[in-house]
Amino acid sequence: MPYLMRVELPDVPGSLGRVASAIGEAGGDIEAIEIVEKRDGFAVDDVLLEIPAGTMPDSIISACSVLDGVSVLWISRYAAGGNLFLDLEVVESLTQDPRTARDRLVDLLPIAFRVDWAARVRRGDDGLRVVHATDAAPTTFDLGEITVPTRLPGDETYVELAAPFGDDVMLLGRRGGPEFLDSELARLEHLLGLAVTISSH
């Protein structure tokens, strides 16, 4: 069963090896690792795990948490499964048909950013309307002016993020966390800019 774990660890040689060993000893199998952010002597990594039936995610959290300087920030079932969808793959997909690039990006963001939904909304005289959204996205939004990628308060269920997307706004929702990192805001801004450029050709 695939899980995604976000872990903070010291950015020194051997740290990732210790985490990998702890995961293996607790019964998990690492499928992929992506560095999400580096800051103040620490790295934040997303680790895609395969956890066999009968092994509890709590045992992997405990095995990692006892390591010096290591903190498990979040772990959850990973519905996409299989692999981490890197930004380069997103851009490659967008260039295949520039006419649909903006809506295609909406469809790809939940995989690339490990979020539950994405929505492209447009402000009109009668408020916000959804231009394109994934299945789990809300149908109504209460949103102020968005000029830069911005973390939103969300609710008890989702942490949310909004960013300008040409004349529209892109919204993302992640069930139960973790909070969006500064590096994720920068990545999203970059991908949105590329999608606007690609769709204009």
Side-chain angles (χ1 to χ4, degrees):
M1 185 176 300
Y3 279 79
L4 192 74
M5 180 174 74
R6 176 163 290 183
V7 60
E8 183 182 73
L9 64 159
D11 188 18
V12 296
S15 286
L16 187 56
R18 291 187 300 122
V19 170
S21 295
I23 290 170
E25 290 170 8
D29 185 28
I30 296 175
E31 299 286 331
I33 297 174
E34 182 178 350
I35 299 169
V36 179
E37 189 170 82
K38 290 192 175 190
R39 59 186 182 202
D40 302 324
F42 285 87
V44 178
D45 293 353
D46 279 350
V47 183
L48 180 63
L49 303 169
E50 185 66 33
I51 301 179
T55 300
M56 299 299 294
D58 288 351
S59 63
I60 291 176
I61 294 172
S62 297
C64 293
S65 297
V66 298
L67 300 173
D68 188 33
V70 174
S71 300
V72 175
L73 304 178
W74 178 73
I75 189 169
S76 179
R77 291 279 302 276
Y78 186 45
N83 71 326
L84 299 178
F85 203 77
L86 301 177
D87 293 0
L88 186 58
E89 294 175 87
V90 172
V91 174
E92 186 176 309
S93 179
L94 299 182
T95 58
Q96 290 173 0
D97 185 358
R99 295 170 302 168
T100 64
R102 296 187 192 209
D103 288 345
R104 180 75 180 131
L105 183 58
V106 174
D107 298 332
L108 294 173
L109 285 177
I111 303 170
F113 281 79
R114 276 80 75 190
V115 297
D116 293 275
W117 56 264
R120 175 184 168 203
V121 300
R122 183 170 296 163
R123 197 177 304 279
D125 294 337
D126 54 350
L128 292 172
R129 70 175 179 86
V130 176
V131 178
H132 187 79
T134 57
D135 290 340
T139 55
T140 60
F141 299 93
D142 182 17
L143 192 64
E145 189 70 23
I146 299 294
T147 57
V148 295
T150 305
R151 298 175 187 88
L152 302 178
D155 56 29
E156 313 82 47
T157 306
Y158 290 102
V159 295
E160 296 180 12
L161 173 63
F165 187 28
D167 295 330
D168 302 331
V169 175
M170 182 71 78
L171 290 141
L172 305 180
R174 181 183 278 156
R175 181 183 292 274
E179 292 292 331
F180 289 99
L181 301 173
D182 290 344
S183 59
E184 292 180 296
L185 272 65
R187 281 178 59 211
L188 179 62
E189 185 173 35
H190 180 67
L191 286 173
L192 294 177
L194 287 174
V196 168
T197 300
I198 290 167
S199 66
S200 300
H201 289 83

